[in-house]
Amino acid sequence: MLLEFFQYIAEGAAITVAVTLVALPLGLVIGLLLALVHVYGGKWLSGLMTAYSVVLRGIPPMVLLFILYFVFSGSIDLSPFLAGSLALGVISSAYQLEILRGAILSVSGGQMLAARAIGLTRLQAIRHVVLPQALRLAIPPWANEASIVLKDSSLVYAIGVAEILRRAQQLSAASQQPFLAFGSAALIYFVLVFSTNRLLDLLERRTRIPANPYA
Amino acid sequence: MSQPVLVAKNLTKRYGKNTIFQNISLTVQERETIVIVGPSGTGKSTLLRCLNLLTHAEEGQIWLDGVEITAKGYNEDRARQQIGMVFQNFLLFNHLTALENVILGLRRVKKLSHEEARLRATRELERVGLADRSGHYPGQLSGGQQQRVGIARALALEPRVMLFDEPTSALDPELIGEVLEVMKQLALDGTTMLMVTHEMGFAREVANRMIFLEKGGILEEGTPEDLFERPQNERTHQFLSKIGDLHGKKASKA
C-alpha cells in the first residue's frame, strides 16, 4: 500500500515539474525584459516597472493565481494546467525582475562606460558586456526563486490541477492516512527542490569567471 | 599646419546648478601628446568624457577631423569608435580573457572576421608586452597588466586620438613603470594622445604641451618647459612643484 501511495503521488510530480518548467522560463523572459526596461528605459518606463513589481509582489500568490486564472480562462479557453502555469509565471516575473535588475545594476556603470567607449551601441553593450556578467551574478538568487516557484506550484491544486498536493489530499481523504499521504508529498517536494538547487549550484560553479585567488 | 584631429570650443559642463568647467577650448594636433594637470575636482576626467561623448557638455562644440560630432543627429557611436579611452580603474570586461577584451571591439565595431580579429588582437597584446597573458581573465592579471590590456583594447580600433584618464593612479608604485613605458612608446610612435596624469616626470619627458586646469577653466598652457621653468601664474608654480615632489621622482625612474 505504501508503494501505491507513493506511486500515485509521484505521478503528480511530473505535473508539478511541468508547471514549473512553464512558469519559471516564462517568468525569466518577462522578468529579464522588464528588468532591462527598468534599468535602461528612462524615468517613466522605470516607474511603470516599479509599479508592476510592487503590485505583483504585494499580493499573496494564491489570490493572484485565482484572479489571473479567471482572467486567462475567461478570455481564452485554457486548461487549468496552462492557466495555472501562466499565472505562476507572471507572478514569478515580478520577483525575477527584481533579481535581474539588481544583478544588472551591480554590473552596469563602469562596464557600460567601457563598452560605450570602444564604440559599442547600447544594445551591443547590454548583450555582450552587461548581460553575460549580470546573468552569472543572478544565478544564486535565481536558484532561490526557482525553488519558490517549484514549491508554489502546489497552489495550482486549488484550481483543480492534479499535481502532487492534490493527489496527496485525495489519498488522505480516501485512506484516512494523512501522515502517509502528505509525508510522501513532502518527501517528493524536498527531493525536487534539493536537486534543483544542486543543479543550479553546479551551473554557477561551471560559469564562474576565473580569478586569481592570490590577487 | 594640417587640420587638427580634435577641436573643442567653449565647452561648459554642469551638473544641476554645479558648474564643473566653463568655456574650455582646446585643439589637439596630429601626433601631439598633451598632458592635462590640475587639482582634483576641476573636471579633468569629466572633460575627457565630454570629448568622447560619454557625457554631454551643456554648451560648446567638438570637431573630430573637421566633422562636428556634437551636431544634432551625428551618430555618437561612430565618434567613440574613433576616440580611444583608457580608464583610471581599467574597466576591462571581467568575463572575457585579455585577448577577448581586445577582440570584442574588433568584431562588433570593426566587423572583422573572427580570424582577422584574433590576429589583430594578438598583435596588439604583443605591442603592450602581454602576448603570454592572452588567455588570462582580468581577475588573474596585476593592475599594471590590466591597464596594458586596456590600452591594447583601445588601440586595436586604430583611434584618431587616445584619451588617458589618470591611467596610473590606481596602480601600486612598482607597477606604474610598465604602463608609463607603454605610453612613452606610443608617444614615440606618433600616437595622438590627450592625458590626465599626475606623473610629472613622464609629462616633462613626453608631453609636447601641458594644460593646467583649475577651478573649471584653463589657467595656463604651454610646453612642459614653460610650465615647469617659467610658469606665468603663481598657482601653476605652486601646484607643479608640490605634485613634482610627490610624483616626479617615481616617474623619472620609469
Side-chain angles (χ1 to χ4, degrees):
Chain A
M1 160 148 144
L2 188 63
L3 194 68
E4 282 167 20
F5 248 71
F6 200 76
Q7 243 173 10
Y8 183 69
I9 296 174
E11 276 161 30
I15 295 174
T16 292
V17 169
V19 169
T20 308
L21 285 182
V22 174
L24 255 187
L26 178 69
L28 178 61
V29 170
I30 302 176
L32 181 58
L33 280 174
L34 299 190
L36 288 171
V37 172
H38 199 322
V39 176
Y40 299 110
K43 213 168 88 184
W44 287 103
L45 286 174
S46 167
L48 207 63
M49 295 305 108
T50 305
Y52 176 87
S53 153
V54 166
V55 169
L56 281 188
R57 289 182 304 126
I59 300 170
M62 183 72 125
V63 178
L64 277 173
L65 180 67
F66 279 127
I67 295 175
L68 291 172
Y69 172 58
F70 290 118
V71 170
F72 282 144
S73 58
S75 49
I76 16 169
D77 189 26
L78 282 182
S79 65
F81 166 78
L82 213 51
S85 309
L86 293 182
L88 284 178
V90 170
I91 296 167
S92 177
S93 74
Y95 294 88
Q96 298 196 47
L97 156 61
E98 292 301 329
I99 290 169
L100 292 163
R101 186 176 79 100
I104 291 169
L105 281 178
S106 68
V107 171
S108 213
Q111 293 286 307
M112 181 53 111
L113 205 65
R116 299 308 299 277
I118 60 170
L120 294 179
T121 65
R122 189 186 242 201
L123 227 55
Q124 284 179 319
I126 290 171
R127 167 151 175 236
H128 298 291
V129 175
V130 175
L131 279 186
Q133 297 180 63
L135 290 178
R136 282 177 168 96
L137 280 180
I139 294 175
W142 195 82
N144 193 39
E145 173 63 15
S147 44
I148 289 173
V149 170
L150 195 53
K151 287 181 282 183
D152 278 359
S153 71
S154 62
L155 296 177
V156 298
Y157 99 99
I159 54 175
V161 180
E163 44 68 78
I164 297 174
L165 184 59
R166 187 158 190 93
R167 283 165 184 256
Q169 206 171 31
Q170 288 165 352
L171 276 189
S172 161
S175 67
Q176 300 299 319
Q177 297 270 18
F179 183 76
L180 265 185
F182 291 116
S184 310
L187 183 67
I188 293 169
Y189 273 121
F190 178 77
V191 169
L192 287 178
V193 171
F194 185 77
S195 6
T196 304
N197 278 331
R198 292 311 300 263
L199 209 67
L200 288 169
D201 247 18
L202 191 71
L203 181 69
E204 195 216 343
R205 265 178 288 138
R206 280 284 181 82
T207 56
R208 192 174 289 166
I209 300 161
N212 188 347
Y214 313 106
Chain B
M1 203 176 283
S2 62
Q3 188 181 58
V5 175
L6 192 71
V7 177
K9 201 173 151 197
N10 294 327
L11 293 182
T12 297
K13 176 69 192 171
R14 296 188 200 93
Y15 283 119
K17 283 190 168 173
N18 239 339
T19 301
I20 309 299
F21 52 74
Q22 207 159 14
N23 283 328
I24 288 189
S25 299
L26 57 87
T27 301
V28 184
Q29 300 290 345
E30 186 113 45
R31 303 175 76 84
E32 210 177 13
T33 298
I34 301 179
V35 166
I36 301 175
V37 292
S40 52
T42 46
K44 304 185 296 290
S45 299
T46 310
L47 175 62
L48 289 192
R49 284 179 191 193
C50 281
L51 291 177
N52 71 347
L53 309 177
L54 283 179
T55 182
H56 296 97
E58 271 68 35
E59 286 162 38
Q61 294 158 284
I62 302 165
W63 290 265
L64 181 66
D65 284 326
V67 178
E68 191 193 341
I69 59 176
T70 41
K72 262 209 169 73
Y74 185 84
N75 181 352
E76 297 190 353
D77 294 320
R78 268 204 60 202
R80 288 193 209 99
Q81 290 165 14
Q82 302 171 71
I83 303 175
M85 186 160 213
V86 173
F87 298 91
Q88 180 175 352
N89 43 355
F90 329 133
L91 296 183
L92 295 185
F93 305 130
N94 293 315
H95 62 303
L96 300 177
T97 63
L99 190 68
E100 290 164 347
N101 261 276
V102 184
I103 285 179
L104 185 62
L106 292 170
R107 290 278 286 145
R108 306 292 159 190
V109 175
K110 291 275 180 185
K111 310 281 183 201
L112 294 189
S113 73
H114 187 75
E115 274 318 299
E116 246 180 304
R118 203 178 172 78
L119 221 65
R120 270 271 277 289
T122 308
R123 259 207 324 268
E124 293 300 336
L125 284 183
E126 272 165 16
R127 192 164 159 191
V128 296
L130 286 174
D132 57 332
R133 291 285 185 275
S134 61
H136 287 56
Y137 286 86
Q140 300 172 310
L141 298 171
S142 73
Q145 292 170 336
Q146 288 190 53
Q147 192 58 296
R148 279 144 68 196
V149 175
I151 293 172
R153 176 177 70 180
L155 278 178
L157 301 176
E158 299 176 312
R160 294 289 292 130
V161 53
M162 286 279 287
L163 309 178
F164 291 84
D165 185 6
E166 300 203 34
T168 56
S169 296
L171 293 175
D172 288 340
E174 74 265 29
L175 301 178
I176 291 176
E178 58 187 77
V179 174
L180 291 183
E181 200 51 51
V182 168
M183 298 192 333
K184 203 185 293 179
Q185 194 54 50
L186 290 181
L188 290 176
D189 294 346
T191 311
T192 310
M193 304 197 280
L194 184 60
M195 66 178 72
V196 173
T197 182
H198 295 305
E199 298 296 334
M200 290 304 107
F202 176 79
R204 231 178 153 134
E205 189 179 348
V206 176
N208 307 107
R209 207 142 52 87
M210 283 179 74
I211 294 175
F212 183 64
L213 215 62
E214 194 185 55
K215 291 188 183 136
I218 294 178
L219 200 63
E220 193 167 344
E221 62 177 302
T223 64
E225 290 74 43
D226 288 340
L227 265 72
F228 282 107
E229 314 298 341
R230 303 174 290 276
Q232 301 300 304
N233 195 299
E234 180 53 25
R235 188 59 198 124
T236 312
H237 174 67
Q238 262 179 11
F239 182 84
L240 287 182
S241 59
K242 196 180 280 173
I243 201 171
D245 289 343
L246 280 171
H247 292 267
K249 288 198 193 81
K250 204 163 57 192
S252 57
K253 258 190 280 172

PDB file of all heavy atoms in Angstrom, chain B residues 196-212:
ATOM      1  N   VAL B 196      45.232  62.839 -18.757  1.00  0.00           N
ATOM      2  CA  VAL B 196      45.219  63.436 -17.434  1.00  0.00           C
ATOM      3  C   VAL B 196      46.125  62.570 -16.586  1.00  0.00           C
ATOM      4  O   VAL B 196      45.961  61.356 -16.539  1.00  0.00           O
ATOM      5  CB  VAL B 196      43.788  63.411 -16.835  1.00  0.00           C
ATOM      6  CG1 VAL B 196      43.827  63.880 -15.390  1.00  0.00           C
ATOM      7  CG2 VAL B 196      42.854  64.270 -17.659  1.00  0.00           C
ATOM      8  N   THR B 197      47.113  63.159 -15.959  1.00  0.00           N
ATOM      9  CA  THR B 197      48.013  62.358 -15.125  1.00  0.00           C
ATOM     10  C   THR B 197      48.694  63.246 -14.087  1.00  0.00           C
ATOM     11  O   THR B 197      48.770  64.463 -14.223  1.00  0.00           O
ATOM     12  CB  THR B 197      49.081  61.635 -15.974  1.00  0.00           C
ATOM     13  OG1 THR B 197      49.901  60.840 -15.113  1.00  0.00           O
ATOM     14  CG2 THR B 197      49.973  62.617 -16.712  1.00  0.00           C
ATOM     15  N   HIS B 198      49.167  62.579 -13.024  1.00  0.00           N
ATOM     16  CA  HIS B 198      49.963  63.292 -12.029  1.00  0.00           C
ATOM     17  C   HIS B 198      51.428  62.901 -12.139  1.00  0.00           C
ATOM     18  O   HIS B 198      52.239  63.273 -11.293  1.00  0.00           O
ATOM     19  CB  HIS B 198      49.452  62.977 -10.618  1.00  0.00           C
ATOM     20  CG  HIS B 198      48.064  63.477 -10.374  1.00  0.00           C
ATOM     21  ND1 HIS B 198      47.722  64.795 -10.556  1.00  0.00           N
ATOM     22  CD2 HIS B 198      46.935  62.854  -9.977  1.00  0.00           C
ATOM     23  CE1 HIS B 198      46.433  64.952 -10.274  1.00  0.00           C
ATOM     24  NE2 HIS B 198      45.932  63.793  -9.930  1.00  0.00           N
ATOM     25  N   GLU B 199      51.758  62.130 -13.181  1.00  0.00           N
ATOM     26  CA  GLU B 199      53.139  61.696 -13.353  1.00  0.00           C
ATOM     27  C   GLU B 199      53.939  62.806 -14.032  1.00  0.00           C
ATOM     28  O   GLU B 199      54.053  62.866 -15.259  1.00  0.00           O
ATOM     29  CB  GLU B 199      53.197  60.413 -14.187  1.00  0.00           C
ATOM     30  CG  GLU B 199      52.498  59.220 -13.564  1.00  0.00           C
ATOM     31  CD  GLU B 199      53.164  58.787 -12.262  1.00  0.00           C
ATOM     32  OE1 GLU B 199      54.375  59.050 -12.092  1.00  0.00           O
ATOM     33  OE2 GLU B 199      52.478  58.187 -11.421  1.00  0.00           O
ATOM     34  N   MET B 200      54.507  63.686 -13.213  1.00  0.00           N
ATOM     35  CA  MET B 200      55.154  64.872 -13.769  1.00  0.00           C
ATOM     36  C   MET B 200      56.438  64.558 -14.518  1.00  0.00           C
ATOM     37  O   MET B 200      56.766  65.205 -15.508  1.00  0.00           O
ATOM     38  CB  MET B 200      55.440  65.881 -12.650  1.00  0.00           C
ATOM     39  CG  MET B 200      54.178  66.521 -12.111  1.00  0.00           C
ATOM     40  SD  MET B 200      53.211  67.316 -13.426  1.00  0.00           S
ATOM     41  CE  MET B 200      51.850  66.208 -13.577  1.00  0.00           C
ATOM     42  N   GLY B 201      57.158  63.532 -14.046  1.00  0.00           N
ATOM     43  CA  GLY B 201      58.374  63.137 -14.749  1.00  0.00           C
ATOM     44  C   GLY B 201      58.045  62.719 -16.170  1.00  0.00           C
ATOM     45  O   GLY B 201      58.711  63.116 -17.140  1.00  0.00           O
ATOM     46  N   PHE B 202      56.969  61.954 -16.287  1.00  0.00           N
ATOM     47  CA  PHE B 202      56.513  61.484 -17.574  1.00  0.00           C
ATOM     48  C   PHE B 202      56.080  62.664 -18.451  1.00  0.00           C
ATOM     49  O   PHE B 202      56.441  62.766 -19.629  1.00  0.00           O
ATOM     50  CB  PHE B 202      55.346  60.507 -17.364  1.00  0.00           C
ATOM     51  CG  PHE B 202      54.717  60.029 -18.634  1.00  0.00           C
ATOM     52  CD1 PHE B 202      55.307  59.031 -19.385  1.00  0.00           C
ATOM     53  CD2 PHE B 202      53.524  60.585 -19.072  1.00  0.00           C
ATOM     54  CE1 PHE B 202      54.719  58.589 -20.548  1.00  0.00           C
ATOM     55  CE2 PHE B 202      52.930  60.144 -20.238  1.00  0.00           C
ATOM     56  CZ  PHE B 202      53.533  59.149 -20.984  1.00  0.00           C
ATOM     57  N   ALA B 203      55.312  63.565 -17.851  1.00  0.00           N
ATOM     58  CA  ALA B 203      54.815  64.724 -18.598  1.00  0.00           C
ATOM     59  C   ALA B 203      55.982  65.528 -19.159  1.00  0.00           C
ATOM     60  O   ALA B 203      56.002  65.923 -20.323  1.00  0.00           O
ATOM     61  CB  ALA B 203      53.962  65.591 -17.675  1.00  0.00           C
ATOM     62  N   ARG B 204      56.945  65.743 -18.318  1.00  0.00           N
ATOM     63  CA  ARG B 204      58.105  66.538 -18.702  1.00  0.00           C
ATOM     64  C   ARG B 204      58.852  65.913 -19.867  1.00  0.00           C
ATOM     65  O   ARG B 204      59.321  66.596 -20.778  1.00  0.00           O
ATOM     66  CB  ARG B 204      59.050  66.592 -17.507  1.00  0.00           C
ATOM     67  CG  ARG B 204      59.462  67.977 -17.180  1.00  0.00           C
ATOM     68  CD  ARG B 204      60.334  67.973 -15.971  1.00  0.00           C
ATOM     69  NE  ARG B 204      61.180  69.123 -16.075  1.00  0.00           N
ATOM     70  CZ  ARG B 204      61.419  69.956 -15.082  1.00  0.00           C
ATOM     71  NH1 ARG B 204      60.899  69.719 -13.899  1.00  0.00           N
ATOM     72  NH2 ARG B 204      62.173  70.990 -15.264  1.00  0.00           N
ATOM     73  N   GLU B 205      58.933  64.610 -19.806  1.00  0.00           N
ATOM     74  CA  GLU B 205      59.721  63.893 -20.801  1.00  0.00           C
ATOM     75  C   GLU B 205      58.975  63.741 -22.126  1.00  0.00           C
ATOM     76  O   GLU B 205      59.565  63.845 -23.192  1.00  0.00           O
ATOM     77  CB  GLU B 205      60.063  62.507 -20.240  1.00  0.00           C
ATOM     78  CG  GLU B 205      61.058  61.750 -21.070  1.00  0.00           C
ATOM     79  CD  GLU B 205      61.369  60.396 -20.429  1.00  0.00           C
ATOM     80  OE1 GLU B 205      60.982  60.179 -19.262  1.00  0.00           O
ATOM     81  OE2 GLU B 205      61.974  59.577 -21.101  1.00  0.00           O
ATOM     82  N   VAL B 206      57.677  63.502 -22.040  1.00  0.00           N
ATOM     83  CA  VAL B 206      56.942  63.067 -23.219  1.00  0.00           C
ATOM     84  C   VAL B 206      56.007  64.123 -23.823  1.00  0.00           C
ATOM     85  O   VAL B 206      55.803  64.158 -25.031  1.00  0.00           O
ATOM     86  CB  VAL B 206      56.143  61.775 -22.891  1.00  0.00           C
ATOM     87  CG1 VAL B 206      55.283  61.354 -24.056  1.00  0.00           C
ATOM     88  CG2 VAL B 206      57.101  60.662 -22.491  1.00  0.00           C
ATOM     89  N   ALA B 207      55.445  64.978 -22.966  1.00  0.00           N
ATOM     90  CA  ALA B 207      54.405  65.884 -23.468  1.00  0.00           C
ATOM     91  C   ALA B 207      54.960  66.941 -24.408  1.00  0.00           C
ATOM     92  O   ALA B 207      56.064  67.443 -24.227  1.00  0.00           O
ATOM     93  CB  ALA B 207      53.704  66.561 -22.296  1.00  0.00           C
ATOM     94  N   ASN B 208      54.198  67.258 -25.456  1.00  0.00           N
ATOM     95  CA  ASN B 208      54.529  68.399 -26.301  1.00  0.00           C
ATOM     96  C   ASN B 208      53.939  69.658 -25.702  1.00  0.00           C
ATOM     97  O   ASN B 208      54.452  70.753 -25.883  1.00  0.00           O
ATOM     98  CB  ASN B 208      53.936  68.236 -27.707  1.00  0.00           C
ATOM     99  CG  ASN B 208      54.322  66.915 -28.327  1.00  0.00           C
ATOM    100  OD1 ASN B 208      53.494  66.023 -28.441  1.00  0.00           O
ATOM    101  ND2 ASN B 208      55.585  66.793 -28.689  1.00  0.00           N
ATOM    102  N   ARG B 209      52.826  69.437 -25.001  1.00  0.00           N
ATOM    103  CA  ARG B 209      52.117  70.584 -24.468  1.00  0.00           C
ATOM    104  C   ARG B 209      51.468  70.168 -23.154  1.00  0.00           C
ATOM    105  O   ARG B 209      51.065  69.022 -22.965  1.00  0.00           O
ATOM    106  CB  ARG B 209      51.030  71.016 -25.460  1.00  0.00           C
ATOM    107  CG  ARG B 209      50.649  72.456 -25.415  1.00  0.00           C
ATOM    108  CD  ARG B 209      50.366  73.006 -26.824  1.00  0.00           C
ATOM    109  NE  ARG B 209      49.431  72.206 -27.569  1.00  0.00           N
ATOM    110  CZ  ARG B 209      48.097  72.368 -27.500  1.00  0.00           C
ATOM    111  NH1 ARG B 209      47.573  73.273 -26.720  1.00  0.00           N
ATOM    112  NH2 ARG B 209      47.308  71.607 -28.245  1.00  0.00           N
ATOM    113  N   MET B 210      51.372  71.122 -22.224  1.00  0.00           N
ATOM    114  CA  MET B 210      50.687  70.863 -20.964  1.00  0.00           C
ATOM    115  C   MET B 210      49.599  71.893 -20.757  1.00  0.00           C
ATOM    116  O   MET B 210      49.746  73.053 -21.128  1.00  0.00           O
ATOM    117  CB  MET B 210      51.679  70.918 -19.798  1.00  0.00           C
ATOM    118  CG  MET B 210      52.535  69.672 -19.686  1.00  0.00           C
ATOM    119  SD  MET B 210      53.698  69.786 -18.316  1.00  0.00           S
ATOM    120  CE  MET B 210      52.612  69.564 -16.909  1.00  0.00           C
ATOM    121  N   ILE B 211      48.525  71.426 -20.150  1.00  0.00           N
ATOM    122  CA  ILE B 211      47.421  72.331 -19.852  1.00  0.00           C
ATOM    123  C   ILE B 211      47.159  72.268 -18.356  1.00  0.00           C
ATOM    124  O   ILE B 211      46.992  71.178 -17.795  1.00  0.00           O
ATOM    125  CB  ILE B 211      46.150  71.908 -20.628  1.00  0.00           C
ATOM    126  CG1 ILE B 211      46.355  72.087 -22.128  1.00  0.00           C
ATOM    127  CG2 ILE B 211      44.938  72.708 -20.145  1.00  0.00           C
ATOM    128  CD1 ILE B 211      45.205  71.574 -22.978  1.00  0.00           C
ATOM    129  N   PHE B 212      47.181  73.418 -17.711  1.00  0.00           N
ATOM    130  CA  PHE B 212      46.905  73.443 -16.285  1.00  0.00           C
ATOM    131  C   PHE B 212      45.469  73.909 -16.069  1.00  0.00           C
ATOM    132  O   PHE B 212      45.084  75.017 -16.449  1.00  0.00           O
ATOM    133  CB  PHE B 212      47.891  74.375 -15.563  1.00  0.00           C
ATOM    134  CG  PHE B 212      47.696  74.395 -14.074  1.00  0.00           C
ATOM    135  CD1 PHE B 212      47.900  73.245 -13.322  1.00  0.00           C
ATOM    136  CD2 PHE B 212      47.303  75.556 -13.429  1.00  0.00           C
ATOM    137  CE1 PHE B 212      47.715  73.259 -11.939  1.00  0.00           C
ATOM    138  CE2 PHE B 212      47.116  75.571 -12.049  1.00  0.00           C
ATOM    139  CZ  PHE B 212      47.327  74.427 -11.304  1.00  0.00           C
TER     140      PHE B 212
END
